[in-house]
């Protein structure tokens, strides 16, 4: 275990991921590449590549896929010292099935090592000194113990005083709207920073506009509402800010929301302010949609700063 505190601690499942190497729909002739994916570990990787100290906390099976996940995150500079190995449960798997500008996802994660996580699985010191703890709505969908863990971290603050970031990240393949809507709203209301897509807010809660989402979730200090390829808005104590998304060629979109969250959190950690943080989120997300994996190579800090200055001059 490292004694160096992380800027950000991300908690949740990561899986081995199968992706058709040509980013086309799966057929009997598809050739696959093996990658690593999972909402929270994706955020941890992008934050590390953006120059922050990030830590991923989870469980993996004692199998080759677990080793691949650990090796990839270690190579990205993510601290994995609080990851536990479960000898009795496997590492989760999932497959991407690209369908043009959308991607279907097929999960094979029931009974996985991460689905057995509970409050006792995580060392109380995992977030010591951290500025933010990040989770997403995939974690409470995995099991009853993961649901209790999420409420303990977000609501009871069992990991200490760090700000809590929560990406609603509703996945219909994991639970129904009837099961998810109330739980995800309750968790979001107790977080400090919340990310939600306008489309998923409409699915879960029947809201149609960003302002309606804010009325539904007035408690978080910061609410970020994403509107797909159009842009995103941030609603906080300083009012509302908006930034357009970047127009880039799209290979497939899974992972873009995690990349956006990492970019926004990087801006928040750097004190860049709402609008610049949105722009950084869009920049990182634009890199994610151009690859078949979930975790993009991000620009160097100097290039990011030049991009942000350029966007401000254009505004």
């Amino acid at each position: 275990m490292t004694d160096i505190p992380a800027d950000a601690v991300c908690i949740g499942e990561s899986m081995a991921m199968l992706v058709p190497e040509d980013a086309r729909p799966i057929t009997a002739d598809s050739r696959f590449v093996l990658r690593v994916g999972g909402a929270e570990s994706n955020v941890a990787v992008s934050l590390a590549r953006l120059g922050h100290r990030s830590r991923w906390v989870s469980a993996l099976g004692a199998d080759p896929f677990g080793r691949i996940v650990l090796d990839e995150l270690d190579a990205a500079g993510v601290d994995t010292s609080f990851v536990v190995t479960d000898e009795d449960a496997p590492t989760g798997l999932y497959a991407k099935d690209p369908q043009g500008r959308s991607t279907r996802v097929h999960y094979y994660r029931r009974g996985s090592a991460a689905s057995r996580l509970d409050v006792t699985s995580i060392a109380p010191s995992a977030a010591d000194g951290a500025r933010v703890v990040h989770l997403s709505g995939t974690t409470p969908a995995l099991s009853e113990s993961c649901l209790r863990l999420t409420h303990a971290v977000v609501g009871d603050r069992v990991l200490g005083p760090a700000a809590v970031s929560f990406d609603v990240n509703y996945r219909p393949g994991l639970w129904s709207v009837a099961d998810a809507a109330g739980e995800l709203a309750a968790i979001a209301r107790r977080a400090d920073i919340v990310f939600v897509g306008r489309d998923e807010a409409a699915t879960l809660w029947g809201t149609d506009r960003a302002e309606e989402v804010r009325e539904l979730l007035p408690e978080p200090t910061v609410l970020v509402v994403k509107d797909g390829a159009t842009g995103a808005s941030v609603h906080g104590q300083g009012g509302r800010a908006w930034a357009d998304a970047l127009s880039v060629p799209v290979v497939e979109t899974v992972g873009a929301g995690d990349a956006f969250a990492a970019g926004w959190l990087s801006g928040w950690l750097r004190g860049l302010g709402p609008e610049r943080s949105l722009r950084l989120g869009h920049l990182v997300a634009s890199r994610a949609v151009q690859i078949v994996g979930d975790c993009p190579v991000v620009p160097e800090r100097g290039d990011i700063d030049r991009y942000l200055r350029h966007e401000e001059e254009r505004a």
Side-chain angles (χ1 to χ4, degrees):
M1 305 268 178
T2 179
D3 293 328
I4 302 174
D7 297 318
V9 175
C10 304
I11 304 170
E13 182 170 38
S14 192
M15 297 160 286
M17 175 176 64
L18 295 172
V19 189
E21 63 181 7
D22 58 1
R24 296 175 65 86
I26 295 174
T27 69
D29 296 321
S30 294
R31 295 174 63 88
F32 292 89
V33 292
L34 186 63
R35 295 288 185 265
V36 170
E40 296 83 4
S41 63
N42 292 344
V43 172
V45 168
S46 288
L47 282 172
R49 290 176 174 172
L50 287 162
H52 304 281
R53 296 185 302 275
S54 68
R55 175 176 297 148
W56 176 62
V57 179
S58 189
L60 294 166
D63 50 39
F65 298 116
R67 174 46 54 191
I68 289 167
V69 171
L70 271 185
D71 287 348
E72 188 152 321
L73 268 66
D74 287 339
V78 176
D79 175 12
T80 60
S81 60
F82 285 83
V83 176
V84 299
T85 299
D86 189 328
E87 299 286 343
D88 300 316
T91 302
L93 298 172
Y94 84 104
K96 285 185 176 182
D97 188 10
Q99 309 283 325
R101 291 187 69 87
S102 64
T103 300
R104 296 182 63 189
V105 175
H106 304 278
Y107 292 121
Y108 307 92
R109 62 201 300 183
R110 188 182 302 276
S112 68
S115 74
R116 293 156 58 121
L117 285 169
D118 60 23
V119 178
T120 65
S121 305
I122 299 177
S125 59
D128 283 359
R131 294 177 59 191
V132 65
V133 173
H134 179 76
L135 304 92
S136 89
T138 60
T139 299
L142 296 179
S143 65
E144 285 297 322
S145 66
C146 285
L147 176 61
R148 292 192 297 271
L149 168 64
T150 305
H151 279 291
V153 173
V154 179
D156 300 334
R157 304 296 170 109
V158 295
L159 293 182
V164 172
S165 166
F166 181 68
D167 188 341
V168 171
N169 204 22
Y170 171 61
R171 291 291 179 261
L174 295 177
W175 52 352
S176 68
V177 169
D179 290 333
E183 290 288 1
L184 291 174
I187 295 166
R189 289 187 178 111
R190 302 188 73 181
D192 301 300
I193 300 166
V194 173
F195 300 91
V196 63
R198 192 171 68 87
D199 55 348
E200 64 186 344
T203 297
L204 289 166
W205 308 310
T207 57
D208 191 48
R209 298 182 302 113
E211 291 75 12
E212 293 176 345
V213 183
R214 186 53 165 169
E215 290 175 6
L216 179 74
L217 303 174
E219 296 88 354
T221 305
V222 176
L223 173 69
V224 181
V225 181
K226 301 170 291 181
D227 194 3
T230 304
S233 57
V234 59
H235 307 256
Q237 294 174 337
R240 179 184 183 276
W242 166 270
D244 293 334
L246 299 176
S247 179
V248 297
V250 175
V251 174
E252 62 94 13
T253 59
V254 174
D258 306 325
F260 177 90
W264 194 94
L265 287 170
S266 177
W268 180 82
L269 287 165
R270 292 177 58 189
L272 296 184
E275 191 168 341
R276 297 184 92 196
S277 295
L278 288 174
R279 287 174 175 159
L280 182 49
H282 288 316
L283 178 62
V284 181
S286 74
R287 298 296 183 93
V289 300
Q290 298 181 72
I291 61 172
V292 296
D294 281 8
C295 299
V297 175
V298 302
E300 298 290 337
R301 179 69 66 90
D303 292 333
I304 290 172
D305 291 341
R306 283 188 287 274
Y307 161 77
L308 293 175
R309 288 196 296 271
H310 174 70
E311 289 299 300
E312 287 175 351
E313 290 168 0
R314 291 181 55 213

